């Protein structure tokens, strides 16, 4: 069974940066999109950024200009570079892969905490 493993979370001061990574435990056939979601305490999970197979990206308004998503198809890995972090970015961040036939994979999440 494929597992997605996130890394790179942690505690950072406001204005700082973190880079999250997500890697699949084995090769996945035809990953159509890779994305990052986050869930803060008491809130619903929300889309942060997504990157399609062709490289097109989409970002939540709250992170535009601060976060950058990228992918390495050869490594089945997606990255999220987060700059100018704010306390409201504090959440558990989950990676998501959507593959052919609607198969969806989720990571277990990595905590990002931004102190003021």
């Amino acid at each position: 069974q494929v597992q997605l493993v996130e890394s790179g979370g942690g505690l950072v001061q406001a204005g700082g940066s973190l880079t999250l990574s997500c890697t699949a435990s084995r090769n996945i056939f035809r990953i159509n999109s890779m994305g990052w979601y986050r869930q803060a305490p008491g809130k619903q999970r929300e889309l942060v950024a997504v990157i399609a197979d062709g490289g097109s990206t989409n970002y939540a308004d709250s992170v535009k200009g601060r976060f950058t998503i990228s992918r390495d198809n050869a490594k089945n890995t997606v990255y999220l570079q987060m700059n100018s972090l704010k306390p409201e970015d504090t959440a558990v961040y989950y990676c998501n892969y959507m593959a052919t036939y609607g198969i969806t994979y989720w990571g277990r999440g990595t905590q990002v905490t931004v102190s003021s």
Side-chain angles (χ1 to χ4, degrees):
Q1 186 172 353
V2 176
Q3 293 182 338
L4 301 185
V5 180
E6 300 105 334
S7 62
L11 173 65
V12 64
Q13 289 186 334
S17 299
L18 284 174
T19 300
L20 305 183
S21 300
C22 175
T23 301
S25 58
R26 63 176 177 84
N27 192 45
I28 300 173
F29 178 69
R30 286 296 300 275
I31 300 173
N32 295 321
S33 69
M34 297 178 174
W36 289 94
Y37 290 71
R38 67 186 181 187
Q39 188 167 17
K43 295 187 177 181
Q44 290 188 333
R45 189 173 298 188
E46 62 175 359
L47 174 68
V48 176
V50 63
I51 183 167
D53 187 32
S56 60
T57 58
N58 191 31
Y59 295 91
D61 288 342
S62 59
V63 307
K64 284 181 180 177
R66 300 188 297 122
F67 290 10
T68 302
I69 189 170
S70 60
R71 62 190 281 174
D72 185 333
N73 291 331
K75 297 181 179 180
N76 278 346
T77 298
V78 63
Y79 306 94
L80 185 68
Q81 173 68 44
M82 306 185 293
N83 298 325
S84 302
L85 282 161
K86 304 175 181 180
E88 49 264 43
D89 294 317
T90 296
V92 178
Y93 284 70
Y94 300 89
C95 62
N96 167 272
Y97 290 10
M98 296 186 66
T100 306
Y101 309 119
I103 299 174
T104 301
Y105 303 91
W106 286 95
R108 293 188 175 183
T110 184
Q111 176 70 46
V112 172
T113 303
V114 184
S115 63
S116 58

